[in-house]
Amino acid sequence: MTMMRWAPVLGLGLLAGCSAVKSSRIRDDYAQVDRKETKRLVVVAQPLPDEKPAVGELWSLIARQWVNQNRDFIVKDNVSLPGRPTDATFKELCVEGVEGVLWLDPRISLKGDGAEAEVKAQLLRCRDSQEVWAAEAAGSWSSTDEDYAARVNKFSQELGEEVAPYVVPTTKLLAATLETLPNPELTEADKDEKIELGE
Protein backbone atom coordinates (compact mmCIF):
# COMPACT_ATOMS: atom_id res chain seq x y z
CA MET A 1 0.00 0.00 0.00
CA THR A 2 1.44 3.35 -0.97
CA MET A 3 1.17 6.30 1.34
CA MET A 4 -0.46 9.41 -0.13
CA ARG A 5 1.70 12.50 0.25
CA TRP A 6 0.40 16.05 0.13
CA ALA A 7 2.17 19.16 -1.02
CA PRO A 8 1.79 21.98 1.49
CA VAL A 9 -0.16 25.03 0.45
CA LEU A 10 1.76 28.08 1.60
CA GLY A 11 0.70 31.65 2.12
CA LEU A 12 -2.91 31.01 3.07
CA GLY A 13 -2.87 34.01 5.36
CA LEU A 14 -1.90 36.19 2.41
CA LEU A 15 -4.57 34.68 0.18
CA ALA A 16 -7.48 35.10 2.54
CA GLY A 17 -6.58 38.07 4.72
CA CYS A 18 -7.42 37.29 8.34
CA SER A 19 -8.04 33.84 7.07
CA ALA A 20 -11.12 31.83 7.77
CA VAL A 21 -9.21 28.90 6.23
CA LYS A 22 -8.06 26.44 8.87
CA SER A 23 -6.37 23.93 6.55
CA SER A 24 -5.86 23.19 2.89
CA ARG A 25 -4.12 20.42 0.97
CA ILE A 26 -3.53 19.34 -2.60
CA ARG A 27 -2.17 16.15 -4.11
CA ASP A 28 1.56 16.33 -4.66
CA ASP A 29 1.09 14.97 -8.20
CA TYR A 30 -1.52 17.61 -9.10
CA ALA A 31 0.68 19.33 -11.70
CA GLN A 32 1.43 16.04 -13.48
CA VAL A 33 -2.06 14.48 -13.34
CA ASP A 34 -5.19 16.39 -12.35
CA ARG A 35 -4.10 19.76 -13.70
CA LYS A 36 -4.74 18.37 -17.17
CA GLU A 37 -7.34 15.69 -16.41
CA THR A 38 -9.79 17.03 -13.81
CA LYS A 39 -11.30 20.18 -15.29
CA ARG A 40 -15.06 19.64 -15.70
CA LEU A 41 -16.88 19.65 -12.38
CA VAL A 42 -20.23 19.46 -10.62
CA VAL A 43 -20.68 21.26 -7.28
CA VAL A 44 -22.73 19.54 -4.58
CA ALA A 45 -23.71 20.96 -1.18
CA GLN A 46 -24.65 18.10 1.14
CA PRO A 47 -26.09 18.04 3.76
CA LEU A 48 -28.37 21.06 3.43
CA PRO A 49 -26.99 24.01 5.40
CA ASP A 50 -29.38 24.93 8.22
CA GLU A 51 -31.59 22.12 6.80
CA LYS A 52 -33.04 24.52 4.22
CA PRO A 53 -33.17 23.54 0.51
CA ALA A 54 -32.98 27.16 -0.67
CA VAL A 55 -29.85 27.76 1.43
CA GLY A 56 -28.29 24.59 0.01
CA GLU A 57 -29.02 25.88 -3.48
CA LEU A 58 -27.44 29.20 -2.50
CA TRP A 59 -24.22 27.52 -1.33
CA SER A 60 -23.82 25.38 -4.45
CA LEU A 61 -24.70 28.28 -6.77
CA ILE A 62 -22.26 30.72 -5.13
CA ALA A 63 -19.52 28.08 -5.31
CA ARG A 64 -20.24 27.28 -8.96
CA GLN A 65 -20.17 30.93 -9.97
CA TRP A 66 -17.04 31.73 -7.93
CA VAL A 67 -15.08 28.82 -9.40
CA ASN A 68 -16.20 29.58 -12.96
CA GLN A 69 -15.23 33.24 -12.56
CA ASN A 70 -11.97 32.83 -10.61
CA ARG A 71 -10.51 29.51 -11.70
CA ASP A 72 -10.12 27.72 -15.03
CA PHE A 73 -12.38 24.82 -14.07
CA ILE A 74 -15.52 24.30 -16.15
CA VAL A 75 -18.29 23.88 -13.59
CA LYS A 76 -21.18 22.38 -15.50
CA ASP A 77 -23.82 22.11 -12.78
CA ASN A 78 -24.61 22.64 -9.10
CA VAL A 79 -26.90 20.67 -6.80
CA SER A 80 -27.81 20.52 -3.13
CA LEU A 81 -28.92 17.36 -1.38
CA PRO A 82 -30.40 16.54 2.05
CA GLY A 83 -28.84 14.21 4.60
CA ARG A 84 -25.30 12.92 4.90
CA PRO A 85 -23.97 11.30 1.72
CA THR A 86 -24.36 7.52 1.82
CA ASP A 87 -21.72 7.24 -0.90
CA ALA A 88 -19.05 9.93 -0.65
CA THR A 89 -17.72 9.03 -4.10
CA PHE A 90 -20.76 10.76 -5.66
CA LYS A 91 -20.73 8.35 -8.60
CA GLU A 92 -24.30 9.35 -9.51
CA LEU A 93 -23.01 12.88 -10.28
CA CYS A 94 -20.12 11.60 -12.39
CA VAL A 95 -22.08 11.54 -15.62
CA GLU A 96 -20.52 11.72 -19.06
CA GLY A 97 -18.49 14.90 -19.46
CA VAL A 98 -17.90 15.37 -15.72
CA GLU A 99 -14.40 14.65 -14.39
CA GLY A 100 -14.72 15.74 -10.77
CA VAL A 101 -17.11 16.60 -7.95
CA LEU A 102 -16.57 19.61 -5.70
CA TRP A 103 -18.27 18.59 -2.46
CA LEU A 104 -19.19 21.20 0.12
CA ASP A 105 -20.07 19.90 3.58
CA PRO A 106 -21.56 23.11 5.06
CA ARG A 107 -22.81 24.25 8.43
CA ILE A 108 -24.33 27.66 9.07
CA SER A 109 -26.55 29.10 11.76
CA LEU A 110 -27.96 32.59 12.10
CA LYS A 111 -26.82 34.44 15.23
CA GLY A 112 -28.10 37.94 15.95
CA ASP A 113 -27.54 40.07 12.84
CA GLY A 114 -25.11 37.61 11.28
CA ALA A 115 -24.17 33.96 11.01
CA GLU A 116 -21.59 31.45 12.13
CA ALA A 117 -20.50 29.23 9.26
CA GLU A 118 -18.06 26.47 8.52
CA VAL A 119 -17.33 24.23 5.57
CA LYS A 120 -15.32 21.17 4.70
CA ALA A 121 -14.67 21.10 0.97
CA GLN A 122 -13.23 18.35 -1.23
CA LEU A 123 -12.52 17.97 -4.91
CA LEU A 124 -12.90 14.31 -5.84
CA ARG A 125 -12.01 13.00 -9.28
CA CYS A 126 -14.62 10.83 -10.92
CA ARG A 127 -12.45 8.09 -12.44
CA ASP A 128 -11.27 6.67 -9.08
CA SER A 129 -12.92 8.84 -6.37
CA GLN A 130 -9.51 10.03 -5.14
CA GLU A 131 -9.25 13.35 -3.34
CA VAL A 132 -7.48 16.00 -5.40
CA TRP A 133 -7.83 18.99 -3.05
CA ALA A 134 -9.45 19.68 0.30
CA ALA A 135 -9.90 22.62 2.66
CA GLU A 136 -11.64 23.51 5.90
CA ALA A 137 -12.74 26.99 6.93
CA ALA A 138 -14.94 28.69 9.50
CA GLY A 139 -15.88 32.11 10.78
CA SER A 140 -18.59 34.57 11.83
CA TRP A 141 -19.85 37.38 9.63
CA SER A 142 -22.55 40.02 9.67
CA SER A 143 -25.41 39.46 7.24
CA THR A 144 -25.23 43.13 6.24
CA ASP A 145 -22.49 44.54 4.02
CA GLU A 146 -23.14 47.40 1.61
CA ASP A 147 -20.61 45.97 -0.85
CA TYR A 148 -22.80 42.87 -1.15
CA ALA A 149 -26.22 44.54 -1.32
CA ALA A 150 -26.69 43.79 -5.02
CA ARG A 151 -25.77 40.13 -4.49
CA VAL A 152 -28.20 39.81 -1.59
CA ASN A 153 -30.96 41.29 -3.75
CA LYS A 154 -30.11 39.06 -6.74
CA PHE A 155 -30.08 35.81 -4.77
CA SER A 156 -33.19 36.79 -2.79
CA GLN A 157 -35.11 37.32 -6.03
CA GLU A 158 -33.78 34.09 -7.50
CA LEU A 159 -34.08 31.76 -4.49
CA GLY A 160 -36.50 33.50 -2.11
CA GLU A 161 -36.26 36.04 0.70
CA GLU A 162 -35.28 33.38 3.25
CA VAL A 163 -31.74 33.25 1.79
CA ALA A 164 -31.06 36.97 2.36
CA PRO A 165 -29.31 36.71 5.76
CA TYR A 166 -27.14 33.84 4.49
CA VAL A 167 -25.74 35.50 1.34
CA VAL A 168 -22.93 37.61 2.84
CA PRO A 169 -21.57 35.00 5.30
CA THR A 170 -21.76 32.23 2.69
CA THR A 171 -20.05 34.32 0.02
CA LYS A 172 -17.21 35.38 2.33
CA LEU A 173 -16.62 31.87 3.66
CA LEU A 174 -16.68 30.21 0.25
CA ALA A 175 -14.46 32.86 -1.36
CA ALA A 176 -11.78 32.29 1.30
CA THR A 177 -12.09 28.51 1.01
CA LEU A 178 -12.13 28.30 -2.78
CA GLU A 179 -9.21 30.74 -3.06
CA THR A 180 -7.03 27.75 -2.12
CA LEU A 181 -8.19 25.72 -5.15
CA PRO A 182 -5.50 25.07 -7.76
CA ASN A 183 -5.93 26.06 -11.40
CA PRO A 184 -6.24 23.44 -14.14
CA GLU A 185 -4.70 23.78 -17.58
CA LEU A 186 -7.18 24.28 -20.40
CA THR A 187 -6.74 23.49 -24.07
CA GLU A 188 -8.04 25.93 -26.69
CA ALA A 189 -11.18 23.78 -27.05
CA ASP A 190 -11.63 23.83 -23.26
CA LYS A 191 -11.37 27.63 -23.27
CA ASP A 192 -14.10 27.85 -25.91
CA GLU A 193 -16.29 25.55 -23.80
CA LYS A 194 -15.73 27.71 -20.73
CA ILE A 195 -16.63 30.88 -22.63
CA GLU A 196 -19.90 29.24 -23.66
CA LEU A 197 -20.85 28.84 -19.98
CA GLY A 198 -21.27 32.62 -19.84
CA GLU A 199 -20.34 33.03 -16.17
Side-chain angles (χ1 to χ4, degrees):
M1 175 184 282
T2 57
M3 293 294 291
M4 186 175 296
R5 294 179 16 233
W6 298 99
V9 177
L10 302 176
L12 293 180
L14 296 175
L15 289 172
C18 294
S19 184
V21 178
K22 308 306 179 194
S23 66
S24 177
R25 61 183 180 262
I26 187 170
R27 293 183 66 89
D28 63 352
D29 62 355
Y30 178 80
Q32 296 77 32
V33 182
D34 294 286
R35 184 165 154 259
K36 296 181 179 181
E37 295 180 6
T38 309
K39 300 180 274 192
R40 291 164 184 81
L41 310 179
V42 170
V43 174
V44 58
Q46 186 178 17
L48 297 175
D50 218 6
E51 299 182 2
K52 296 178 180 176
V55 180
E57 185 71 14
L58 175 75
W59 276 66
S60 65
L61 182 57
I62 288 174
R64 186 193 87 202
Q65 291 177 349
W66 192 97
V67 174
N68 275 333
Q69 293 166 5
N70 296 278
R71 290 294 183 270
D72 289 334
F73 291 102
I74 301 166
V75 186
K76 299 171 100 41
D77 200 7
N78 63 284
V79 297
S80 59
L81 301 170
R84 302 293 311 167
T86 54
D87 177 7
T89 65
F90 297 100
K91 285 297 183 188
E92 70 279 4
L93 298 177
C94 288
V95 296
E96 185 176 348
V98 174
E99 298 153 348
V101 174
L102 177 57
W103 174 29
L104 306 175
D105 181 351
R107 287 179 181 77
I108 190 166
S109 57
L110 299 180
K111 303 282 184 185
D113 64 352
E116 294 178 357
E118 62 182 281
V119 68
K120 294 179 183 177
Q122 276 187 305
L123 174 56
L124 304 165
R125 62 185 179 212
C126 283
R127 64 180 166 84
D128 59 7
S129 305
Q130 289 292 304
E131 180 184 280
V132 175
W133 162 91
E136 293 187 30
S140 299
W141 292 271
S142 170
S143 292
T144 305
D145 186 323
E146 283 305 310
D147 293 338
Y148 291 77
R151 291 179 63 82
V152 172
N153 187 53
K154 173 185 174 291
F155 287 121
S156 296
Q157 289 181 357
E158 191 172 333
L159 301 173
E161 284 298 325
E162 73 173 318
V163 306
Y166 297 92
V167 174
V168 174
T170 300
T171 301
K172 291 183 176 182
L173 176 64
L174 288 178
T177 306
L178 298 172
E179 187 68 46
T180 69
L181 265 174
N183 234 345
E185 181 180 315
L186 300 184
T187 65
E188 288 305 313
D190 294 337
K191 291 175 185 176
D192 290 341
E193 183 181 347
K194 186 168 177 68
I195 289 168
E196 288 176 8
L197 284 177
E199 286 189 340

